[in-house]
Amino acid sequence: MKKYFKNILAGAMALTMAAALAGCGGTQTEGTGQEDAAAKEGEKKETLVMATSAAFPPYEYWEGQTIVGIDAEIAAAIADKLGYELEIEDMSFESIIPSVVSGKADIAMAGMTVNEERKKSVDFTDTYATGVQVVLVKEGSKVTDVKQLFEEGANTIVGVQTATTGDIFTTADIEAKGLGTVERYTKYGDAINALLANKIDCIVMDGAAAKAYAEKNEGLYVLDTEYAKEDYAIGLAKDSELTEKVNGALQELLEDGTIQSIIDKYIVSE
Ligand code: ARG
């Protein structure tokens, strides 16, 4: 009996570790500090489940066994304000909106850009940050300016994360026009490895994450010219009762400067 239990535990631990290593598919419950008191009183706190894709520093990424980052901290502050226990679920980016639509998760928070297409499936809160699409290259890349991607005969192989705005933009602007190929990756780590191995010419992705990857990987850098500007917001199921609550908490955190101080903690502006 005991041994059997131990094996299950070891198996579960190995799974958690593997998920953490793969940077995908993990779940993490974050204490807000209040659940201890709640537990003592014998009541169970309701959970707020956040769907994300946690290989996107500085917004969400694994640090040991925990998902940290701007989104993780903002979500924790929102959960705290509303009296929920936060649970963060790591998944592929393209699974985030479906998981909120199906009710498996309550909020989609993943440096997620507001766009009309997504608004057909989810409701968005107010914007809490701005993002920008940039081009990440490896030293010596033939791409030195974003404009080159749109030139006749460019024939660039562009890497993106599946279903992101980087994917949406390059599919329309490059692939559909026969100006190059788009390679789609579920995980940013795989796109980075392809870039390092010269299998692709560049990656179109969000600026803050691109910068974080460039800092961690020798030889990678972000081109000065930007592709597109965007707004990040939290997605919720259409007409969810939670939207007003979450947005109210977010607005308070925006007004009292909490959001800005969380962002400043992770992004040092030059
Ligand atoms: N801002 C982009 C989008 O909404 C990319 C977000 C990627 N986020 C992530 N956690 N991997 O499509």
Side-chain angles (χ1 to χ4, degrees), residues 111-133:
M112 186 171 283
T113 304
V114 178
N115 71 19
E116 292 311 313
E117 193 57 34
R118 291 174 184 166
K119 275 191 197 166
K120 288 180 194 160
S121 325
V122 290
D123 286 339
F124 282 105
T125 60
D126 292 347
T127 296
Y128 62 88
T130 50
V132 58
Q133 292 298 307

Side-chain angles (χ1 to χ4, degrees), residues 8 62 86 92 111 115 157 247-248 254-255 265:
I8 292 179
W62 285 93
L86 178 67
S92 61
N115 71 19
I157 307 173
N247 204 32
L254 279 165
E255 276 159 28
K265 188 174 141 190

Side-chain angles (χ1 to χ4, degrees), residues 52-56 59-60 71 93 96 109-115 118 133 161 163-166 168 188 206 230 232:
T52 198
S53 188
F56 193 66
Y59 284 89
E60 44 265 334
D71 286 341
F93 187 79
I96 298 176
M109 210 172 171
M112 186 171 283
T113 304
V114 178
N115 71 19
R118 291 174 184 166
Q133 292 298 307
Q161 184 179 36
T164 57
T165 47
I168 299 164
Y188 271 122
D206 300 50
E230 357 189 84
Y232 294 166

Side-chain angles (χ1 to χ4, degrees), residues 49 62 66 78 84 101 111 120 124 129 141 146 151 176 181 200 224 226 245 258 268:
V49 181
W62 285 93
T66 353
I78 290 173
Y84 290 113
V101 169
K120 288 180 194 160
F124 282 105
S141 167
V146 64
E151 275 163 13
T181 324
I200 54 177
D224 284 336
E226 291 169 354
K245 284 197 209 170
T258 306
V268 183

Side-chain angles (χ1 to χ4, degrees), residues 15-233:
L15 267 177
T16 315
M17 295 274 289
L21 284 175
C24 208
T27 302
Q28 165 206 337
T29 308
E30 258 188 31
T32 55
Q34 283 171 13
E35 68 275 13
D36 294 345
K40 262 180 220 138
E41 282 158 33
E43 41 186 283
K44 200 181 168 288
K45 267 186 134 187
E46 269 187 82
T47 46
L48 182 75
V49 181
M50 161 178 161
T52 198
S53 188
F56 193 66
Y59 284 89
E60 44 265 334
Y61 57 101
W62 285 93
E63 208 173 75
Q65 302 290 313
T66 353
I67 296 170
V68 296
I70 296 169
D71 286 341
E73 287 202 26
I74 294 176
I78 290 173
D80 208 24
K81 256 190 191 297
L82 300 177
Y84 290 113
E85 187 179 334
L86 178 67
E87 187 179 307
I88 304 180
E89 291 220 10
D90 188 12
M91 59 190 74
S92 61
F93 187 79
E94 75 253 49
S95 307
I96 298 176
I97 289 189
S99 81
V100 164
V101 169
S102 71
K104 273 192 216 126
D106 301 305
I107 59 171
M109 210 172 171
M112 186 171 283
T113 304
V114 178
N115 71 19
E116 292 311 313
E117 193 57 34
R118 291 174 184 166
K119 275 191 197 166
K120 288 180 194 160
S121 325
V122 290
D123 286 339
F124 282 105
T125 60
D126 292 347
T127 296
Y128 62 88
T130 50
V132 58
Q133 292 298 307
V134 299
V135 184
L136 180 69
V137 295
K138 187 181 164 188
E139 241 157 51
S141 167
K142 65 173 186 175
V143 187
T144 53
D145 189 295
V146 64
K147 271 184 276 167
Q148 291 168 343
L149 299 178
F150 317 121
E151 275 163 13
E152 208 56 55
N155 232 349
T156 334
I157 307 173
V158 184
V160 296
Q161 184 179 36
T162 311
T164 57
T165 47
D167 183 1
I168 299 164
F169 290 145
T170 57
T171 299
D173 299 344
I174 298 168
E175 200 173 63
K177 293 186 177 150
L179 298 175
T181 324
V182 178
E183 290 289 342
R184 296 169 186 85
Y185 300 90
T186 313
K187 294 180 203 150
Y188 271 122
D190 293 337
I192 299 291
N193 286 338
L195 184 61
L196 288 168
N198 298 313
K199 286 187 184 139
I200 54 177
D201 298 309
C202 66
I203 299 174
V204 171
M205 64 185 292
D206 300 50
K211 224 176 124 193
Y213 276 114
E215 271 159 20
K216 261 189 273 160
N217 294 277
E218 180 90 32
L220 298 192
Y221 69 102
V222 179
L223 297 186
D224 284 336
T225 42
E226 291 169 354
Y227 194 140
K229 283 200 161 48
E230 357 189 84
D231 291 322
Y232 294 166

